[in-house]
Amino acid sequence: MTAFDVVVVGAGVTGLTVANRLHAAGLKVVVLEARDRVGGRLLTEDIEGVRLEVGGQWVSPDQAALLALIDELKLEMYSRYRAGDSIYIGRDGVRRTFAGEKFPVSDRTAAEVERLTKELDRLAAGMDPLEPWNHPDADELDRISFAAWLAEQTDDPEARDNVGLYVGPAMLTKPAHSFSALSAVLMAASAGGFSHLVDADFILDRRVVGGLQRVPLALADRLPPGTVHLDEAVTKVEWNEDGATVFTGRGSYHGRNVVMAVPPTLVSRVQYIPALPPVQAQMRQHISFGLVIKLHITYETPFWRDLGLSGTAFSPYSLVHEAYDNTNEDVEGETRGTLVGFVSDVKADSLLSLDADARRWKVLEALAAYYGEQALHPVHYYESPWVADEWTVGAFGTSFDIGSLTRYGRHLRSDVGPLSFASSDIAGLGFQHVDGAIRMGEAVAARIL
Ligand code: FDA
């Protein structure tokens, strides 16, 4: 058995941030990672000749911790392509183009969307995202699903469907009837307000040259050789008040502290001796991953640009509820155009019940409704496989079921003896985003130091 000051489990951005901060402070650290690579939910990969951001990719202006790290690592960024009109397909099934961030809906629906946006902004402004359970309306909002809350607020179905889209399919990637209104307000507060979530130009602002996985790759590079152990899944942790021993298939590692830098759902996959206190075990049974399929569709050219389109498309009524131009502007000589699209929650369930050819056809049909017949003829098609990946098992992140944020949330970041828990899923600001992973990593490192 090898002894360390701190054993970090997981080489995602959270774990690598912890390891970097502790190493810089002179502590002896090891990082144990189940996969054969670092980065967790960040993966930039060449797939059949197309470079794809399989996991997270966008950086928004509110992600101050991520922006500071990108700066520290001297990485460059570029803006997402957004020149031209966007597309919206409404409840009437009609495709309309529009400029700006407001969907082309009836005046009444637009007014209702604006009113709901203001109300969600007001609720989010009253929330410290690190302590959503202390919101003045926390109990009330956590007892009701976001869908039911929306139904109480407006009788306009298209306004409900649009406002629901920003938090349900687009963020928590669960149906709006399966998470609480409080979780929806947390999602908004963690991004600096609901108005930010509805603004694609804000939330999907910039990309890192070479891909966002360069952040964890650079963090791993800054650690001394041999610090990060790949292909070492942790299966058991034996702990007492003085420290813990972590077991993998290859050996055991002792640390005065152990940081479980994995999503909450995977914390419970490890055996703890003695078992974690009851509230810890209970709490994580009320947290689950959302489900979204990130689609990458590459064409010979970005043909939509010639049609005056930005590539941005939305519809709560389409299989692909949102899509964007995701062409690699940083790849020299790239003439192809890539669209990225998302199929979320119950629509993802039905898509996943089909075979590969049928799935591809359904997706292309949905894209053709947005961009026209040319969308039916890509040169490359790829579905990010997070749902079938045993070291994530879902996307983008995890969230509580109805009533559990107030019941258990305050225990999420509590240490248990020498064990700390961290991941973007339990962040306040930057919840479910790389920014939150960095904030959580820094907070745990500061506590240990
Ligand atoms: P993460 O899950 O990345 O890392 C945990 C690590 O622990 C993994 O490497 C895993 O293999 C390892 N592990 C688990 N169990 C283990 C065990 N028992 N033993 C050893 N290792 C173990 N964010 C954003 O800011 N902008 C965006 O555009 C997007 N988009 C996006 C798209 C998609 C498809 C996904 C899936 C996610 C995003 N995100 C995002 C979210 C973002 O990727 C995510 O919040 C962070 O990368 C999470 O980092 P963590 O380190 O917290 O967890």
Side-chain angles (χ1 to χ4, degrees):
M1 181 169 63
T2 329
F4 295 88
D5 292 317
V6 182
V7 179
V8 178
V9 180
V13 172
T14 302
L16 292 168
T17 301
V18 176
N20 263 265
R21 297 299 180 241
L22 296 180
H23 168 69
L27 269 59
K28 193 176 170 202
V29 184
V30 66
V31 182
L32 305 172
E33 167 54 48
R35 289 179 165 113
D36 61 0
R37 60 169 182 85
V38 303
R41 278 170 269 175
L42 299 186
L43 173 62
T44 309
E45 215 173 25
D46 240 52
I47 294 168
E48 295 162 16
V50 190
R51 201 198 66 206
L52 301 177
E53 297 265 44
V54 178
Q57 65 170 83
W58 285 293
V59 182
S60 51
D62 60 321
Q63 295 189 305
L66 175 56
L67 288 167
L69 184 60
I70 287 172
D71 205 38
E72 184 184 321
L73 297 172
K74 300 193 174 15
L75 299 174
E76 285 171 38
M77 287 191 286
Y78 64 99
S79 287
R80 180 174 63 83
Y81 183 85
R82 63 190 73 172
D85 286 342
S86 304
I87 302 161
Y88 174 76
I89 299 178
R91 198 158 182 260
D92 54 8
V94 176
R95 170 195 182 277
R96 295 178 176 89
T97 56
F98 67 104
E101 71 197 53
K102 295 210 167 75
F103 292 167
V105 288
S106 72
D107 289 349
R108 178 165 193 272
T109 298
E112 285 299 88
V113 170
E114 202 175 318
R115 193 174 60 75
L116 287 169
T117 300
K118 279 199 182 126
E119 177 59 4
L120 284 162
D121 272 339
R122 187 189 68 79
L123 289 168
M127 178 183 278
D128 173 354
L130 275 172
E131 299 179 349
W133 44 89
N134 286 334
H135 188 279
D137 302 331
D139 286 337
E140 196 189 324
L141 292 171
D142 206 26
R143 276 163 194 255
I144 182 172
S145 75
F146 188 44
W149 183 86
L150 285 169
E152 273 181 1
Q153 301 292 317
T154 179
D155 61 2
D156 186 310
E158 193 155 358
R160 286 200 300 265
D161 293 339
N162 275 320
V163 173
L165 171 87
Y166 294 116
V167 184
M171 282 289 162
L172 298 181
T173 63
K174 292 177 173 177
H177 60 257
S178 69
F179 57 85
S180 73
L182 188 67
S183 289
V185 176
L186 167 61
M187 192 68 241
S190 75
F194 187 73
S195 301
H196 286 168
L197 296 186
V198 307
D199 182 357
D201 286 348
F202 181 91
I203 215 82
L204 314 176
D205 182 26
R206 283 187 288 173
R207 300 176 59 184
V208 166
V209 170
L212 195 52
Q213 198 196 3
R214 287 190 65 199
V215 169
L217 288 169
L219 287 174
D221 272 355
R222 288 207 309 199
L223 294 167
T227 304
V228 181
H229 295 213
L230 301 177
D231 289 317
E232 284 218 58
V234 169
T235 53
K236 186 169 76 169
V237 177
E238 286 180 3
W239 62 279
N240 59 35
E241 286 306 317
D242 300 324
T245 305
V246 171
F247 296 83
T248 73
R250 293 216 197 127
S252 57
Y253 305 81
H254 186 270
R256 202 180 63 232
N257 294 89
V258 170
V259 180
M260 297 298 298
V262 305
T265 42
L266 298 186
V267 168
S268 312
R269 199 189 278 171
V270 174
Q271 183 189 13
Y272 299 87
I273 300 175
L276 296 181
V279 71
Q280 291 277 328
Q282 269 298 315
M283 169 175 72
R284 294 195 180 87
Q285 293 183 61
H286 292 271
I287 302 176
S288 56
F289 252 101
L291 168 60
V292 65
I293 306 168
K294 184 174 182 182
L295 306 154
H296 314 257
I297 312 97
T298 301
Y299 296 89
E300 217 165 294
T301 63
F303 66 86
W304 51 92
R305 295 184 184 181
D306 298 335
L307 303 172
L309 298 171
S310 62
T312 302
F314 299 100
S315 176
Y317 311 104
S318 165
L319 175 72
V320 181
H321 66 266
E322 59 185 321
Y324 306 93
D325 185 322
N326 209 28
T327 303
N328 292 319
E329 308 289 347
D330 56 333
V331 173
E332 226 185 288
E334 180 60 274
T335 51
R336 296 166 299 187
T338 295
L339 292 171
V340 63
F342 296 89
V343 179
S344 187
D345 59 88
V346 291
K347 289 177 187 162
D349 295 339
S350 59
L351 195 67
L352 288 169
S353 70
L354 305 175
D355 67 28
D357 284 345
R359 286 203 305 277
R360 178 185 155 115
W361 181 244
K362 285 265 180 216
V363 167
L364 295 181
E365 267 186 336
L367 294 180
Y370 284 136
Y371 308 101
E373 198 270 342
Q374 277 173 285
L376 294 173
H377 310 291
V379 291
H380 191 259
Y381 173 92
Y382 182 73
E383 298 166 2
S384 289
W386 297 101
V387 64
D389 185 320
E390 65 172 324
W391 300 113
T392 304
V393 209
F396 307 113
T398 67
S399 49
F400 272 115
D401 56 19
I402 295 171
S404 298
L405 191 51
T406 45
R407 188 176 172 197
Y408 295 116
R410 66 191 76 242
H411 302 287
L412 267 179
R413 289 182 289 272
S414 309
D415 293 342
V416 176
L419 311 179
S420 299
F421 306 91
S423 92
S424 63
D425 308 87
I426 66 172
L429 286 176
F431 169 57
Q432 293 217 1
H433 285 82
V434 178
D435 185 67
I438 298 162
R439 288 173 194 266
M440 286 299 96
E442 286 179 343
V444 166
R447 252 190 350 259
I448 290 173
L449 290 171

